[in-house]
Amino acid sequence: MINESGQFGKRRLKKKKGEDRMLLDLLANRVERESFMALAYWVATTDGSLGLPEIKMLENFSQETGIADWRQHHERESVSDYCNVFVDDLSRKIVYSNLMAIGFVDEYENCAQSRAVETVRKAFEISPEAAHNCKQWLEIVKRSAKAQLYFD
């Protein structure tokens, strides 16, 4: 929970005047933000295409993280290399839930994207029960979200 001083747990959310705070602001440093964007791009394109809904979502992520060059390939060798960047539980949950949200931009579940997110879940050692709860929460958010927030 975010307290009155803008702190979430032990991390302080950065906020400029007139800006909303986002969970991706809680990623600790540029390496984590770049790794998140690389994982997000991988999940979005794992089915061999990059549709307009995924592009919109990646652009939103780009604005939140400050990583503008999300389309470029990155140096790490494997998905586990990107996942290993996130050492604390909070960062892993933030990354996982945002990656899972990519699969919610289409009307139907994308099996390739679901398998990619499952790979990340296992790498992050997130329990199947926690993953199920996250999915239920995202389904509720999708039903109640305004059209142009993340979901079309």
Side-chain angles (χ1 to χ4, degrees):
M1 176 165 260
I2 299 172
N3 64 26
E4 290 176 14
S5 66
Q7 202 164 339
F8 188 95
K10 295 184 179 182
R11 295 192 190 167
R12 182 160 174 76
L13 285 169
K14 301 170 212 136
K15 182 179 179 184
K16 296 177 184 172
K17 190 174 183 174
E19 275 188 353
D20 291 328
R21 295 179 220 172
M22 305 302 285
L23 284 177
L24 292 173
D25 287 338
L26 292 171
L27 297 180
N29 54 51
R30 185 167 181 84
V31 172
E32 282 192 359
R33 292 188 301 272
E34 287 174 345
S35 293
F36 166 74
M37 289 303 299
L39 287 169
Y41 184 76
W42 172 68
V43 168
T45 59
T46 196
D47 63 350
S49 68
L50 186 61
L52 186 57
E54 287 97 351
I55 291 170
K56 285 181 180 181
M57 184 165 250
L58 288 168
E59 286 173 351
N60 286 336
F61 289 161
S62 174
Q63 289 176 355
E64 291 176 34
T65 60
I67 306 300
D69 56 345
W70 54 266
R71 288 179 186 249
Q72 296 183 3
H73 287 282
H74 305 277
E75 312 87 43
R76 291 189 173 73
E77 295 294 318
S78 68
V79 171
S80 63
D81 288 340
Y82 288 109
C83 291
N84 290 337
V85 167
F86 305 97
V87 294
D88 66 274
D89 191 50
L90 178 60
S91 293
R92 289 175 176 203
K93 287 178 180 176
I94 290 168
V95 168
Y96 177 73
S97 64
N98 278 279
L99 294 177
M100 186 180 272
I102 293 171
F104 280 78
V105 297
D106 292 322
E107 186 175 346
Y108 301 102
E109 182 176 12
N110 182 310
C111 293
Q113 290 175 347
S114 294
R115 284 190 300 273
V117 171
E118 178 65 8
T119 299
V120 173
R121 183 196 67 78
K122 289 177 181 176
F124 284 171
E125 299 177 347
I126 293 173
S127 72
E129 295 80 20
H132 177 73
N133 291 340
C134 183
K135 184 174 182 175
Q136 286 182 320
W137 176 75
L138 286 169
E139 288 170 347
I140 291 167
V141 170
K142 181 175 182 177
R143 286 192 301 266
S144 65
K146 294 184 181 175
Q148 293 301 319
L149 182 58
Y150 275 155
F151 308 108
D152 282 347

